[in-house]
Amino acid sequence: MTAALLTWAIFVAQFLLGLAMACATFRLIRGPRAQDRVLGLDTLYLNAMLLLLTFGIRSGSTLYFEAALVMALLGFVATAALAKFLMRGEVIE
Amino acid sequence: MTHAAELPGWAALLTALFLLLGAALAFTGSVGLLRFRTFYERVHAPTLGTTLGLGCVLIASMIAFSALQSRPVLHEVLIAICVTVTTPITLMLLTRAALYRDRREGSDYVPTRAPRPNDH
């Protein structure tokens, strides 16, 4: 009974996170200005990380956790570099 | 789904609860990204996912793996610390860049430079 509940909950969570990624992708593509696109990319990174953690719970392996950790670090570096680029016109001065 | 039956009932229930809550919060934050009108309102929305949503999903993951391996599994705290420390930095950098760009363009929407003590 509870195993079926967990399976169902994981499915619904994956569906919701997929929809959230679709929203972020929409903002990434349509965003009227560059900062909106960067914000969309940041949200996309975060939702993908949550989706990976959900995959990890589903499969019971800690491999997904390490991918999620790498994704968290990459998301930080990407957004910080893009914000720096929008501010100054170059990333490394 | 081979291992879901191995989880004890309470762990499966708590995992399902926290997972649904976290996914719903992240989804709400992303919908806010679509529905707010200006960038400065929009930048607030995804933080719902980065704080509460991420926290709930990580708690669910911790409960599930602790019950599966019958020992406390706490390495999810690493992600929590990393994201909690970095999100305010990135979003503040991004907002400052947006404000700078809007002021350079002379947009009517943003106020001009804040007064400084030396101004007369």
Side-chain angles (χ1 to χ4, degrees):
Chain A
M1 170 60 200
T2 48
L5 181 75
L6 183 59
T7 313
W8 180 82
I10 287 173
F11 175 74
V12 173
Q14 280 175 341
F15 183 70
L16 282 178
L17 287 173
L19 279 183
M21 282 176 78
C23 292
T25 311
F26 179 81
R27 191 47 77 192
L28 177 64
I29 294 172
R30 284 292 301 279
R33 306 198 62 205
Q35 49 262 38
D36 293 300
R37 293 176 205 266
V38 177
L39 188 63
L41 184 69
D42 189 56
T43 315
L44 189 64
Y45 260 109
L46 178 91
N47 287 326
M49 193 178 74
L50 291 184
L51 194 59
L52 269 184
L53 286 171
T54 313
F55 273 129
I57 296 176
R58 179 176 168 183
S59 68
S61 87
T62 52
L63 210 65
Y64 290 103
F65 161 78
E66 281 152 32
L69 188 58
V70 170
M71 196 166 263
L73 290 171
L74 274 183
F76 166 63
V77 173
T79 313
L82 282 170
K84 184 90 193 302
F85 180 76
L86 288 187
M87 185 91 174
R88 310 284 299 204
E90 52 190 327
V91 179
I92 301 169
E93 300 178 63
Chain B
M1 287 308 294
T2 50
H3 72 282
E6 298 166 19
L7 277 177
W10 61 271
L13 203 64
L14 277 178
T15 305
L17 191 70
F18 276 113
L19 199 59
L20 277 183
L21 193 61
L25 282 169
F27 175 63
T28 314
S30 300
V31 168
L33 196 63
L34 280 191
R35 294 195 49 116
F36 281 128
R37 283 165 191 265
T38 66
F39 173 77
Y40 299 100
E41 289 167 355
R42 241 176 252 147
V43 80
H44 294 281
T47 54
L48 191 66
T50 53
T51 52
L52 270 178
L54 183 81
C56 285
V57 173
L58 286 179
I59 288 173
S61 175
M62 272 157 81
I63 292 172
F65 281 109
S66 299
L68 269 183
Q69 305 182 4
S70 53
R71 67 184 173 86
V73 177
L74 294 177
H75 56 205
E76 277 85 357
V77 177
L78 266 180
I79 292 186
I81 291 173
C82 175
V83 172
T84 311
V85 168
T86 56
T87 303
I89 299 172
T90 53
L91 290 187
M92 229 167 83
L93 276 176
L94 190 60
T95 315
R96 286 174 71 105
L99 189 60
Y100 174 76
R101 283 161 65 94
D102 276 347
R103 279 183 182 159
R104 275 291 289 274
E105 285 182 355
S107 159
D108 294 336
Y109 183 72
V110 293
T112 49
R113 182 171 64 82
R116 290 184 185 147
N118 290 334
D119 288 350
H120 292 294

